[in-house]
Amino acid sequence: MKKLALLLFACVIGYAVKAEMPINIGIHGGVSSNRINFRDLTSVHGSRADQGYMLGAFMRINLGRLYLEPAINFAQKKSIAEGKTTQQNPNRPSYTIKNNAFEIPIMLGVQLVDLSIAKIRLFLGPQYSVGKLKNLKKLSNEIDPNKSNWSGKVGIGIDVWKLTFDVDYEKGFHKMAHELKAPRSYNFTLGLKII
């Protein structure tokens, strides 16, 4: 799957250069609110969202009102697992679960509004990520998480001059392990078009 995503990325770049389409290249970063729900773990009472971050680079291929935007990012997403109380430990323990991953989203978007000072966009698409979950052994030694995951994103963005601001919702297509449900995130991203 990783090779397929890279091949698609290279083909899109080649086609865009050959057709002399306007291309924007830039950098972006942002924050996220992330949550992983747990199941079938006797040591976990529940979970709650925590804040993460993302840094990366993107390329936008403009096709009139439509655009294609592949990117490559490094993201750290965190979720908090709340342990169960016991007679020996009446205070509820909590554990921060970190997911450090490289992500390759490929967004297809449409410009809804094109003003002289701003453009408003809608976008959606798949994202492939590969990474590692940390601190799981504090919950259980038997969790064997998937190192890669596919997710979907949908969001809205605004461009002002060379600045871009995106807000999106991200949901995993499958669970990360038997004990870990598909992750969910709200992402807030600020970018700068260099070209």
Side-chain angles (χ1 to χ4, degrees):
M1 287 297 176
K2 187 176 179 182
K3 291 180 181 178
L4 180 62
L6 291 174
L7 180 62
L8 177 63
F9 185 71
C11 289
V12 168
I13 292 172
Y15 179 75
V17 170
K18 183 179 177 183
E20 297 180 2
M21 295 178 194
I23 295 178
N24 299 117
I25 296 175
I27 56 174
H28 58 189
V31 295
S32 59
S33 175
N34 318 283
R35 186 170 181 185
I36 300 172
N37 287 322
F38 302 85
R39 69 175 204 174
D40 299 336
L41 280 177
T42 57
S43 60
V44 176
H45 170 73
S47 67
R48 54 190 164 92
D50 199 4
Q51 186 173 321
Y53 69 88
M54 179 275 290
L55 297 169
F58 68 93
M59 179 177 67
R60 186 179 300 168
I61 303 163
N62 300 295
L63 310 165
R65 289 187 61 205
L66 297 176
Y67 68 90
L68 189 65
E69 187 173 295
I72 184 161
N73 307 317
F74 173 79
Q76 182 181 87
K77 297 179 177 177
K78 295 191 276 186
S79 184
I80 296 175
E82 297 177 334
K84 292 186 176 177
T85 58
T86 62
Q87 288 183 346
Q88 295 82 11
N89 188 7
N91 297 322
R92 190 180 304 282
S94 63
Y95 311 97
T96 300
I97 307 302
K98 296 179 183 178
N99 184 17
N100 295 335
F102 286 97
E103 301 174 335
I104 303 174
I106 302 177
M107 299 294 108
L108 177 63
V110 60
Q111 289 184 9
L112 298 178
V113 178
D114 189 356
L115 304 174
S116 59
I117 59 169
K119 296 178 182 178
I120 299 175
R121 310 170 273 108
L122 284 178
F123 58 89
L124 61 86
Q127 174 175 276
Y128 176 75
S129 62
V130 59
K132 184 176 181 181
L133 282 166
K134 294 187 172 184
N135 299 336
L136 283 178
K137 290 190 177 180
K138 292 179 179 178
L139 301 176
S140 171
N141 289 324
E142 299 178 3
I143 301 176
D144 186 20
N146 298 319
K147 290 187 169 68
S148 62
N149 195 5
W150 282 94
S151 58
K153 297 177 83 164
V154 60
I156 187 167
I158 184 168
D159 296 346
V160 178
W161 186 57
K162 293 190 175 222
L163 297 176
T164 67
F165 179 69
D166 295 343
V167 178
D168 67 71
Y169 173 71
E170 177 185 334
K171 176 83 166 73
F173 289 147
H174 55 82
K175 56 190 178 183
M176 302 179 77
H178 173 75
E179 303 86 355
L180 306 174
K181 294 184 179 180
R184 296 174 292 165
S185 300
Y186 290 96
N187 305 297
F188 307 89
T189 308
L190 180 65
L192 174 65
K193 298 176 191 174
I194 299 171
I195 296 175

